[in-house]
Amino acid sequence: MTRARASVHAFAADAVAAGRLAEALKVPCRLVEVHTFPDGEILPVLAAESRTVIIYCPLDHPNEKLVALALAADAARRAGAERVVLVAPYLCYMRQDKVFHPGEPISQAVIGGLLGSTFDRVVTVDAHLHRIARLFAVVGPAEADDLSSVPAVAAWLRPRIGSGAVIVGPDAESEHWARPLAAALELGCLVMRKTRRGDREVTLALDDPDAVKGRQAILVDDIVSTGSTMAAAIGRLKAAGAVGTRIVVTHGLFAAGVIEFLRKAGASEVISTDSVVNSSNAIGLAGILAAALGNEIDP
Ligand code: R5P
């Protein structure tokens, strides 16, 4: 029997977004069935009928997902897949890229090594690479694609922004996204300075408050987790006289209650891409993912 060229596979929680990707690629989408044994161990079963198996698995809540993912990749190879590709629109554990305090691991290297030795290719969006320039340095020998969300975010924002809006990044690390987005939308851009004192304790400095006075601010970052960074940024912008601050984030990891917390802090809107499933999803990534994966479906 001739094998199909490629298929997309996903765990139940990600089936809808995986379906959008499969549709864009015009390939079948299959669910990975997971049996849980009474002792908690799991057995993923994957219908790998194609030569290239694309596993779609955003890696939020990674401690719950990584074992299932590694087992599913092994299942794909044992079923005869010649190529196993991970599409993880959100790539976990990238922020711990050095030993900040004695006794800590470099989580980025550990998880990158695991994924790089499990998959032939790792495709993600807006990987949080701060001190490392290229994703291949993290997941090599696997091929690595770190796609930018900027075209998708800019296309979504363009018809929704007033003239005179300003793009604001809350910290130096957000500059990677804030500057190209501002350039794509032909808007001004400001980047704040952040000092983090704990998981939920940050202070921000805005060097040029007059630049936002009376203007709509669009706060952008790659990740929102506790919302502390964005809440502090909204506070600074309000104090500087900005009007109607919106939050646009690539990966809305959102600990419990964070969207509500940000609305109460003064965000007029909280928007994210669909890299991590949640109620703020508005910007689809299937188009940019499918464009990058085109070579996997060529005959
Ligand atoms: C950090 O470098 C990231 O870009 C985000 O600013 C950070 O992860 C946001 O975390 P939180 O929402 O917990 O302040």
Side-chain angles (χ1 to χ4, degrees):
M1 192 182 88
T2 318
R3 291 185 151 241
R5 179 75 184 89
S7 49
V8 172
H9 301 255
F11 298 98
D14 306 313
V16 174
R20 286 194 288 266
L21 174 62
E23 200 180 321
L25 288 169
K26 297 188 173 47
V27 300
C29 187
R30 303 270 181 259
L31 214 55
V32 183
E33 304 287 350
V34 181
H35 173 71
T36 305
F37 293 103
D39 60 11
E41 289 189 4
I42 54 167
L43 181 69
V45 180
L46 184 141
E49 76 271 28
S50 58
R51 283 180 282 157
T52 296
V53 164
I54 299 169
I55 303 183
Y56 180 94
C57 185
L59 286 169
D60 54 306
H61 300 97
N63 304 347
E64 293 157 28
K65 292 185 174 182
L66 283 167
V67 172
L69 183 60
L71 297 179
D74 185 72
R77 288 198 200 281
R78 290 181 194 280
E82 293 158 24
R83 192 164 159 78
V84 186
V85 175
L86 170 64
V87 177
Y90 171 66
L91 194 57
C92 57
Y93 280 116
M94 292 297 111
R95 284 168 285 181
Q96 181 76 19
D97 62 356
K98 72 172 205 175
V99 174
F100 293 94
H101 306 101
E104 293 176 349
I106 301 184
S107 312
Q108 183 189 75
V110 175
I111 301 302
L114 169 72
L115 298 176
S117 59
T118 303
F119 293 93
D120 297 299
R121 181 179 179 190
V122 175
V123 179
T124 191
V125 178
D126 292 353
H128 189 91
L129 300 179
H130 183 39
R131 278 159 278 263
I132 305 262
R134 292 175 55 235
L135 183 62
F136 181 74
V138 179
V139 299
E143 298 160 35
D145 297 64
D146 177 17
L147 309 176
S148 170
S149 71
V150 166
V153 174
W156 189 90
L157 274 173
R158 197 167 284 117
R160 295 175 171 86
I161 42 175
S163 58
V166 59
I167 301 288
V168 182
D171 57 23
E173 293 169 10
S174 66
E175 200 160 353
H176 289 314
W177 297 281
R179 298 247 178 246
L181 183 63
L185 294 169
E186 297 178 344
L187 297 176
C189 181
L190 295 176
V191 176
M192 299 185 187
R193 284 179 294 112
K194 174 162 89 179
T195 309
R196 185 179 282 283
R197 297 200 164 76
D199 286 345
R200 292 170 194 271
E201 223 186 308
V202 302
T203 51
L204 296 180
L206 175 61
D207 291 334
D208 185 9
D210 286 347
V212 294
K213 193 167 181 189
R215 298 173 76 176
Q216 182 192 49
I218 301 165
L219 263 170
V220 300
D221 205 352
D222 60 336
I223 296 171
V224 171
S225 174
T226 66
S228 311
T229 301
M230 287 304 195
I234 292 171
R236 279 274 166 269
L237 290 169
K238 272 206 269 190
V243 288
T245 299
R246 280 165 145 178
I247 291 175
V248 180
V249 59
T250 309
H251 309 297
L253 298 183
F254 301 135
V258 166
I259 295 180
E260 199 43 40
F261 165 64
L262 291 172
R263 291 221 175 92
K264 284 194 181 133
S268 63
E269 199 173 23
V270 181
I271 291 300
S272 66
T273 77
D274 61 358
S275 70
V276 174
V277 177
N278 63 63
S279 64
S280 72
N281 289 175
I283 305 170
L285 295 176
I288 62 168
L289 292 169
L293 290 162
N295 64 320
E296 304 292 351
I297 56 165
D298 287 344

